[in-house]
Amino acid sequence: TSMTSAKIQVNGVHLHYQLTGEGSHAVLLLPGMLGSGQTDFGPQLKSMNKQIFTIVAWDPRGYGQSIPPSRDFPPDFFERDAKDAVDLMQALKFKKFSLLGWSDGGITALIAAAKYPTLIHKLVVWGANASVTQEDVRIYNGIRDVSKWSEKVKKPLEEMYGHKYFAKTCEAWVDGISRFAEKSDGSICQQLLPDIKCPTFIIHGEKDPLVPQAHAEYIHKHIKDSR
């Protein structure tokens, strides 16, 4: 099947997306911090079943090819991404769809599933967290300086953004996500988890260097009937 790569205006910005497949089950792939559909989901865009699924991968505003605007991190940036993601799928005329989110995209997917329950069919998240602890802030500060990243992880992002935008946006992300730890409970979206009604599958990598496993266990415990 062919792959469409296009932009569509949503909430005052032009969001880039890739679309492939012709199945009746629409799925949106939500990338992680600094990621885009292409950098984070190349294998899924290529290999997911095109007969069963219609697959959409998006670049959140300020990421990938959804620039301009430049990426910023106001206190509600996850809610903004969740609204953008849902409105993008509605602009593409999908009535109901599933969300597959990793890392920051997983957080965005959790918020979207909680806030727009009638639109979300199923939910899969991996490497996601619903709160930020002081320990998390310490881990985030360890990746603040992109020159210390491994070549393998750094190269595709540097090619996409250029060094300056990549370095600056990573620092801004660390500051933006660390702000949640200043709240007494450190919550990003803990209070929304009980509102998630769709079938939910939580995956976590034992060796995840950025998100301790307790986060996945917390999400599982607070989403009814999740697996």
Side-chain angles (χ1 to χ4, degrees), residues 189-218:
C189 61
Q190 288 178 325
Q191 71 292 353
L192 292 175
L193 300 181
D195 296 342
I196 296 173
K197 303 290 184 254
C198 64
T200 301
F201 187 38
I202 298 143
I203 302 169
H204 201 77
E206 196 168 83
K207 298 177 181 172
D208 190 320
L210 214 54
V211 183
Q213 190 170 325
H215 284 299
E217 288 162 4
Y218 181 94

Side-chain angles (χ1 to χ4, degrees), residues 99-115:
L99 302 172
L100 282 74
W102 104 267
S103 186
D104 272 16
I107 300 171
T108 301
L110 291 168
I111 293 169
K115 288 193 157 182

Side-chain angles (χ1 to χ4, degrees), residues 86-156:
V86 166
D87 291 351
L88 166 76
M89 291 301 276
Q90 292 200 293
L92 295 174
K93 304 283 185 272
F94 295 108
K95 291 197 171 35
K96 204 162 180 166
F97 45 91
S98 292
L99 302 172
L100 282 74
W102 104 267
S103 186
D104 272 16
I107 300 171
T108 301
L110 291 168
I111 293 169
K115 288 193 157 182
Y116 309 95
T118 58
L119 302 175
I120 310 306
H121 182 42
K122 293 182 175 182
L123 173 65
V124 183
V125 297
W126 59 108
N129 47 304
S131 66
V132 177
T133 66
Q134 291 303 327
E135 167 66 3
D136 294 329
V137 172
R138 195 184 61 74
I139 295 170
Y140 301 150
N141 277 302
I143 66 156
R144 174 187 283 276
D145 180 357
V146 297
S147 67
K148 298 197 175 98
W149 288 27
S150 78
E151 207 44 51
K152 178 176 175 251
V153 182
K154 189 165 65 177
K155 193 162 178 268

Side-chain angles (χ1 to χ4, degrees), residues 28-49:
L28 175 65
L29 309 175
L30 298 98
M33 171 263 268
L34 283 162
S36 66
Q38 196 50 56
T39 54
D40 289 11
F41 294 114
Q44 287 79 9
L45 285 163
K46 198 167 132 222
S47 308
M48 278 180 77
N49 187 316

Side-chain angles (χ1 to χ4, degrees), residues 58-72:
W58 82 309
D59 299 356
R61 60 169 76 198
Y63 285 165
Q65 293 180 56
S66 295
I67 303 171
S70 291
R71 182 71 183 184
D72 63 347

Side-chain angles (χ1 to χ4, degrees), residues 150-203:
S150 78
E151 207 44 51
K152 178 176 175 251
V153 182
K154 189 165 65 177
K155 193 162 178 268
L157 293 167
E158 268 192 339
E159 281 170 3
M160 184 163 63
Y161 294 121
H163 178 75
K164 194 177 157 203
Y165 186 90
F166 170 43
K168 186 182 77 169
T169 308
C170 182
E171 288 181 8
W173 176 84
V174 171
D175 292 338
I177 196 148
S178 297
R179 243 183 264 125
F180 291 102
E182 293 163 12
K183 298 200 272 183
S184 58
D185 56 356
S187 175
I188 302 174
C189 61
Q190 288 178 325
Q191 71 292 353
L192 292 175
L193 300 181
D195 296 342
I196 296 173
K197 303 290 184 254
C198 64
T200 301
F201 187 38
I202 298 143
I203 302 169

